[in-house]
Amino acid sequence: MDRLRENTRILKEGLDALGFDTGASTTPVVPLLLGDEWRAYRWAQKLLLEHGIFTSAVTFPAVSPGQARLRLCATASHRPEHYERLFEGLRACKAAEERGCQQLSVVSGQWSEIPRSRTGHWPLQFYASRHLRSDSIIVASP
């Protein structure tokens, strides 16, 4: 239990240091509140495909509209390097948003810049668990 509590603290403090809203969670299940559903899906996709980190995007109707989030879960088996990798991936997601969204090309397997639609959203292609690598980190609750 001590290791789980410590890992939960590391996760929450790391997310706070990066400026993320994690709500009022007092458990190892920590929401990373993103608001927009497409944003949550894009971040989950980028974390999986580029960093080998699986997170659950939680969107409407599981949560209220505008309350989309990534569900992160600390476990006793996580090590400090896992959290560093997660935080690196989240920094990359923030940076990608600042310069414009990217999407994986099905043809080339490479990330490419894509323009926003007139509604301000980007198209989404979500790739499932077949993209998990042998060194993937699971930071999502089932």
Side-chain angles (χ1 to χ4, degrees):
M1 285 302 290
D2 289 339
R3 176 128 183 195
L4 178 59
R5 285 187 191 101
E6 176 63 14
N7 283 347
T8 302
R9 183 192 62 76
I10 291 169
L11 177 59
K12 287 181 181 181
E13 287 180 2
L15 294 171
D16 288 344
L18 291 172
F20 290 111
D21 182 359
T22 58
S25 174
T26 59
T27 72
V29 179
V30 180
L32 193 158
L33 303 175
L34 295 173
D36 181 79
E37 292 178 9
W38 293 112
R39 184 180 188 207
Y41 285 126
R42 282 193 312 273
W43 283 42
Q45 178 188 30
K46 187 172 184 68
L47 287 168
L48 176 62
L49 296 177
E50 290 188 8
H51 301 278
I53 300 170
F54 178 79
T55 60
S56 295
V58 182
T59 61
F60 179 81
V63 295
S64 298
Q67 295 296 313
R69 63 200 62 195
L70 296 180
R71 180 175 288 144
L72 308 177
C73 185
T75 70
S77 64
H78 284 130
R79 297 185 308 273
E81 57 268 22
H82 295 149
Y83 292 105
E84 277 310 308
R85 191 157 137 199
L86 171 65
F87 300 147
E88 177 185 313
L90 293 172
R91 282 190 288 271
C93 288
K94 275 180 127 175
E97 274 189 355
E98 290 171 2
R99 70 176 186 272
C101 187
Q102 296 182 341
Q103 179 173 340
L104 184 69
S105 165
V106 177
V107 176
S108 69
Q110 299 295 315
W111 285 96
S112 58
E113 295 292 332
I114 57 171
R116 288 184 187 204
S117 71
R118 286 184 288 156
T119 62
H121 296 290
W122 291 278
L124 173 72
Q125 292 178 350
F126 189 75
Y127 298 85
S129 60
R130 68 175 189 256
H131 290 283
L132 289 174
R133 305 181 316 221
S134 61
D135 63 340
S136 293
I137 302 169
I138 305 298
V139 286
S141 59

